[in-house]
Amino acid sequence: MASTTQIPIDLTTPSSSPSPAEADRVLDLSHLPPIYLLPTRLSEVTLHSLEQGLLGAGALLTYNPAEAGVVVGDVNTKRRGLLELRGRGVWSEEVIGGVDGGGEEEGLVKVVRIKWITEMLEKGEEVEMGRWVVYVGKKVAPPVVKEEGEKEEGEKEEGEKEEGDDHGEGGPAKKKVKREIGEAGDGVGDGKATASLKSPGQSILERAKLDAQEQSPHRYHRGRGTRHIRHDSEPSRRARPPLLHHTSTGEFEQIHILAQLRTVPDYVSQNLKYSCLRDTPLKPPNSHFISLLQTIRLARTLSLDAIGIRAYSTAIASIAAYPYPLLTSAELSTLPGCDGKTSSLFHEYIHSTPTFAGEEDDNRTIHVVQELEASEEFTTLRMFYGIWGVGVHTAREFYFKNGWRSLDDVVEFGWDSLSRVQQIGVKYYEEFNEHKIPRAEVERIADIIISAARKVGGEKWDGIVCGGYRRGKGQSGDVDIVLSHPEESLFEGNVGGKGGVAVEWVGRIVGELETAGWVTHTLYLGRGGGFGSQRIDHTTTTTAAHDKDTLAKAMLVWQEQEYNPPAELGEKNRNPHRRVDIILAPPSCAGTAILGWTGATTFERDLRRFVEKRWGWKFDSGGVWDRRTGERVKGLGDWRGMEGEGLVECEKRLLEELGVGWREPEMRNTG
DNA sequence: CGGCATACG
DNA sequence: CGTA
DNA sequence: GCCG
C-alpha cells in the first residue's frame, strides 16, 4: 500500500544535465493524484515530451495504472477507456454522475484526453480536466485469477554462524616473540588449522559466489547497437500487471519514468567499454552502491578469483562514471559492463531499505555483503591482506594453514617466518592502514624529495606526485612521486649488469634522503617502474630499449622528523610512518611513467586494452611499443623538457597521441 | 567459448 | 608470490 | 561476470 509516495529521488545531480523537475514552474500539478500515461497510439517522442511536461509541472507520474488516479491517453470514448484500463489489469465500474477535476476520491480513476495536458502546457496554467474526461471508474477487484509477480528475495534469516570471539585488533605488534613455527597448528586456532588452503568447501567466500549464482538472473533485455534505456511502452514488458504487491512495484514504475528523462551519457549510448575514454569522478552519485560492489570484489580477490575481480572492476568503473543516482536495475543494466548479475545486486540493494528524499542511502545493503562483513573468514583475510608484503596467497596461508586469526597470532607464532618487508608491514600495520596521509603532508614530502633530487643532480630535476593524490583524493594511502630530468645524456653511458643509470640516480637520491633522516626503511630499491621498465632482447626484435630507457624505483618508509610532543608523550618521534614510492624516469619515459603511475587501476588496464586494440601497441610505463615490430613508437611519452615542456604537458601530449585524448587526473577514479 | 594489463624482483 |  |  501507500505505493504512491513521493518520488524518493533527488534529481539534482552534481554535474550538468538540467532536470525538468527543477525548472521554475508556474504550472503546478503536484496536487493531482498520480497520473498514468497511456502509451497507446502515442509515439515515443510524444510520450516523452508529455512526461517531461508533466514532471516539469511537478505532477506525480506513475507507471502502474492501478495506482493512477488519472489516466491520460489518446482515448475518445468511454468504452475505449474502460478497455484500456482492463487491458492493463485495472478493473473498474463506471461511476455515473461523474465527479469533477481536482478532487481525488479513493479508488476512483478518470480517463482523460491528452488535449487536457497539451492545453495546460501551452497556456502554462492549470485547466479544469472536467471537459476532457471520457470515463470515470471505480476500481474493483479483478475476477479471480492472480498473477505471479516478482518474487521478493528472502531477507534476513540466514546462516548465522557462531561468530563471537573478537580479536580486538591486536594493535601494532611491537614485540618480536621468538617461536618455532614448525608445528603450525599447535595451540592455535583450536582445530581450525586444518582447513584447506585451496578448496575450503565451507568457505564463506565460496558460498557467497554460489549464493549469487542461485539468484534469479533478473536479466533485462538490452537493445543491439545503440542502447537506450528500455522504454516501458514495449508491449512485452507491459503485459504484466504487477499490482497486488505492496510498495516497490509502484515506486519502481514511477521512478522508472524519471530515468527516461535523463540525458543518456555518451559512454552508455555508445556502449563504450574503456574507462580510459570517459570521465570518472572521485565522488560519483552512486558511491555507496559502489562501495558494496567493492566489498564483493575484495571477496573475489581473497578467493583467488582473478576473473571476478576484472568483472567487478569493469562494472564498478562503469557505474562510477554514471552521472546520475541510479533509480532502477533496468537503468543500471544499460551501462556497459553491467548485466544480469550486477543489476540483480542493485535490485536487491534498492529494495533493501526505503530511502526517502533527502536521506542518505547508506542504510541500504546487499545480503551477501552483510554476510561477508559478519564472517570471521572474510574480515580476517582482509586484515592479513592489509599487511604490506602479504598478498592473497599468504593471507590464506595464515588463515587456513596456520590457523591464525589476528595480528598477534602472526607475531607470536610466525614472526621468524616473515620476510623482512612483511615484518615491517606488520610493525606499521596500523600506521599504514588507518592513518591516511593528508594532501598537505603529501606535498611536503614531495617538496623534500624534489629538493633532494636537485641537490644531488642539479636544478633541472623535476617531479610530480601521481597516484591517488593526483587524482584528487583528500587522503592518500601512500605517496607516489615520479622524478625526471630533461637531459637524456644523464641516463646514458655505462651499463653495468645491474641496470641502468636511472638506478644509480635513484640510489643517490634515496641516499640523500636517508642521510637527511627522512627514510626509516628501504623496502625496495632498483629497477622496474612498477608497471615495467624496458628490457631488451625480448626475442630477436632489436628495438632494444636501452638502459637509458629504464625506469628505476624505490619503495620507502618515511617519517616526518619534526615532532611536537604534546608534553606527556615524551620526546620520541611519534609521527606516523608513511609509504613513499619514488619512480625515476629518464625523459624518454617520463610521459608513460606519469600516465602509468597516476592510475587508477582499472583506468590503466583499460588504457592498455584500448591501445592494444586501436593501434596494436603495447603500453607500459616505460614506453609504448609496436607489437609487430617490437619497435618503440617514436616520440610517445618523450618529455621535451629541454624545450620548456612541463611534465603534465608531456602526459597530455601522450594521451592525445595514444588516441585517448586528455583526461583530467581527477576524472580517472575508476574505483 | 575465449579473453580479460603489464612487468619486475 | 607480491607490488603497482 | 561480461563481451564479442
Side-chain angles (χ1 to χ4, degrees):
Chain A
M1 275 278 306
S3 23
T4 48
T5 56
Q6 283 292 339
I7 294 166
I9 296 297
D10 180 6
L11 276 183
T12 312
T13 56
S15 61
S16 63
S17 293
S19 154
E22 290 169 7
D24 287 345
R25 56 175 73 130
V26 188
L27 183 60
D28 181 358
L29 302 177
S30 59
H31 62 93
L32 291 174
I35 298 173
Y36 175 83
L37 279 174
L38 275 175
T40 312
R41 289 199 293 250
L42 296 183
S43 71
E44 234 175 82
V45 174
T46 307
L47 203 51
H48 186 262
S49 60
L50 288 174
E51 286 163 358
Q52 273 199 323
L54 285 171
L55 283 168
L60 193 52
L61 291 180
T62 177
Y63 251 76
N64 182 352
E67 294 175 349
V70 178
V71 172
V72 178
D74 185 10
V75 174
N76 298 311
T77 68
K78 187 175 298 186
R79 173 173 172 72
R80 183 78 213 169
L82 187 141
L83 290 177
E84 287 285 354
L85 290 176
R86 190 170 296 177
R88 287 169 172 72
V90 179
W91 292 70
S92 62
E93 291 170 354
E94 188 182 2
V95 173
I96 314 291
V99 208
D100 49 14
E104 82 194 72
E105 285 74 9
E106 258 304 304
L108 282 190
V109 56
K110 299 172 194 167
V111 179
V112 191
R113 297 161 77 158
I114 286 178
K115 206 74 172 64
W116 173 54
I117 293 178
T118 52
E119 191 171 309
M120 286 193 293
L121 293 178
E122 276 163 23
K123 290 185 177 173
E125 64 184 49
E126 189 166 359
V127 167
E128 189 60 41
M129 80 170 77
R131 52 187 284 237
W132 302 111
V133 174
V134 298
Y135 170 76
V136 179
K138 181 180 187 336
K139 294 175 196 164
V140 298
V144 235
V145 207
K146 228 171 163 184
E147 318 242 359
E148 38 75 75
E150 299 184 17
K151 96 166 202 219
E152 290 292 315
E153 339 264 298
E155 295 307 292
K156 298 292 181 188
E157 214 62 285
E158 178 55 15
E160 183 107 83
K161 322 169 48 121
E162 49 185 284
E163 219 261 341
D165 53 354
D166 272 332
H167 301 276
E169 283 312 285
K174 34 188 179 259
K175 46 177 186 173
K176 304 181 184 178
V177 182
K178 297 271 186 170
R179 188 65 92 85
E180 241 56 65
I181 57 153
E183 299 286 310
D186 66 13
V188 197
D190 31 27
K192 297 168 185 168
T194 56
S196 154
L197 251 172
K198 280 282 148 70
S199 56
Q202 304 306 332
S203 163
I204 182 157
L205 300 184
E206 307 300 322
R207 267 212 331 274
K209 280 191 236 175
L210 296 179
D211 281 3
Q213 283 167 4
E214 284 166 17
Q215 273 184 349
S216 69
H218 202 83
R219 298 188 79 88
Y220 290 89
H221 108 305
R222 21 172 46 173
R224 289 266 156 241
T226 321
R227 298 160 45 171
H228 288 290
I229 292 177
R230 216 208 65 259
H231 203 285
D232 247 6
S233 57
E234 287 165 25
S236 61
R237 184 71 180 159
R238 279 236 149 233
R240 126 207 159 267
L243 30 164
L244 299 188
H245 279 278
H246 51 260
T247 76
S248 52
T249 324
E251 286 171 38
F252 178 94
E253 301 288 10
Q254 195 177 92
I255 289 169
H256 189 88
I257 195 175
L258 292 179
Q260 300 170 24
L261 296 175
R262 318 211 265 215
T263 305
V264 178
D266 288 348
Y267 82 93
V268 176
S269 58
Q270 294 167 26
N271 195 20
L272 214 163
K273 290 180 296 299
Y274 296 94
S275 63
C276 55
L277 302 182
R278 64 194 183 217
D279 277 348
T280 314
L282 181 61
K283 290 174 180 161
N286 296 287
S287 57
H288 182 249
F289 178 61
I290 287 169
S291 73
L292 299 182
L293 294 184
Q294 285 167 332
T295 300
I296 299 176
R297 178 177 63 183
L298 178 56
R300 298 308 171 93
T301 302
L302 295 173
S303 63
L304 300 171
D305 176 9
I307 295 313
I309 298 168
R310 173 70 234 201
Y312 276 93
S313 295
T314 303
I316 287 166
S318 188
I319 297 169
Y322 196 65
Y324 314 104
L326 284 161
L327 301 175
T328 69
S329 49
E331 182 185 3
L332 171 57
S333 70
T334 65
L335 311 199
C338 303
D339 205 354
K341 180 57 187 297
T342 316
S343 77
S344 101
L345 288 172
F346 186 77
H347 183 258
E348 186 192 348
Y349 170 78
I350 204 69
H351 289 101
S352 60
T353 303
T355 297
F356 300 99
E359 275 184 36
E360 291 303 316
D361 59 358
D362 54 12
N363 53 348
R364 291 187 166 141
T365 184
I366 297 173
H367 190 227
V368 295
V369 173
Q370 283 190 309
E371 281 196 319
L372 288 170
E373 295 292 356
S375 86
E376 182 186 49
E377 178 184 322
F378 175 72
T379 56
T380 308
L381 285 175
R382 176 170 61 187
M383 179 203 48
F384 289 154
Y385 186 52
I387 301 171
W388 201 89
V390 171
V392 178
H393 289 268
T394 309
R396 293 175 66 88
E397 185 179 312
F398 287 1
Y399 187 88
F400 291 112
K401 178 166 157 229
N402 301 351
W404 298 339
R405 293 296 181 269
S406 67
L407 273 191
D408 281 344
D409 286 348
V410 176
V411 173
E412 186 173 357
F413 304 110
W415 184 264
D416 290 336
S417 69
L418 299 179
S419 68
R420 187 185 79 96
V421 297
Q422 287 170 335
Q423 289 178 340
I424 293 168
V426 169
K427 185 170 177 185
Y428 299 116
Y429 184 89
E430 187 181 333
E431 288 171 52
F432 290 168
N433 285 289
E434 325 285 338
H435 303 305
K436 298 296 187 183
I437 316 175
R439 293 183 67 83
E441 189 181 341
V442 174
E443 288 153 17
R444 170 169 167 77
I445 291 170
D447 283 346
I448 292 167
I449 293 170
I450 293 173
S451 298
R454 289 176 179 164
K455 181 173 175 188
V456 301
E459 286 304 308
K460 285 186 185 158
W461 278 95
D462 200 1
I464 179 171
V465 182
C466 297
Y469 171 88
R470 184 157 182 249
R471 298 199 309 274
K473 291 175 73 171
Q475 313 265 298
S476 299
D478 63 4
V479 179
D480 303 305
I481 183 166
V482 173
L483 300 178
S484 191
H485 189 286
E487 292 180 50
E488 289 275 351
S489 57
L490 249 80
F491 300 87
E492 289 163 351
N494 66 3
V495 173
K498 62 171 178 111
V501 182
V503 175
E504 293 173 23
W505 278 113
V506 82
R508 274 181 245 175
I509 294 167
V510 169
E512 167 63 24
L513 293 167
E514 280 172 340
T515 305
W518 301 105
V519 177
T520 63
H521 308 265
T522 301
L523 299 169
Y524 173 81
L525 198 161
R527 239 155 75 130
F531 315 97
S533 44
Q534 274 345 290
R535 328 147 329 147
I536 21 299
D537 65 34
H538 188 221
T539 43
T540 72
T541 55
T542 66
T543 318
H546 298 47
D547 274 340
K548 74 180 181 64
D549 296 319
T550 303
L551 297 174
K553 174 174 69 170
M555 306 171 86
L556 311 174
V557 180
W558 181 283
Q559 190 182 34
E560 168 64 51
Q561 298 181 65
E562 188 161 330
Y563 178 62
N564 307 308
E568 76 277 8
L569 287 180
E571 72 288 352
K572 188 171 186 290
N573 184 352
R574 288 169 198 261
N575 287 322
H577 291 77
R578 308 302 199 185
R579 279 275 303 107
V580 172
D581 291 340
I582 297 174
I583 297 85
L584 203 144
S588 59
C589 307
T592 49
I594 292 166
L595 180 55
W597 275 81
T598 298
T601 301
T602 307
F603 181 95
E604 298 296 335
R605 295 172 76 160
D606 286 345
L607 175 70
R608 287 159 169 73
R609 284 198 308 129
F610 174 77
V611 166
E612 150 75 24
K613 192 200 71 154
R614 169 89 185 261
W615 308 104
W617 292 343
K618 182 163 62 66
F619 175 96
D620 63 54
S621 59
V624 180
W625 311 79
D626 187 311
R627 286 185 191 272
R628 284 183 319 107
T629 64
E631 300 287 332
R632 190 176 170 127
V633 182
K634 275 203 173 39
L636 267 67
D638 277 7
W639 179 30
R640 302 175 184 165
M642 297 304 283
E643 303 163 32
E645 186 180 60
L647 287 173
V648 173
E649 237 180 302
C650 169
E651 190 208 35
K652 186 173 296 194
R653 193 163 47 78
L654 170 62
L655 271 173
E656 262 139 32
E657 288 166 336
L658 287 172
V660 171
W662 172 244
R663 191 148 321 275
E664 298 289 344
E666 291 84 356
M667 289 295 157
R668 305 178 198 171
N669 289 288
T670 49

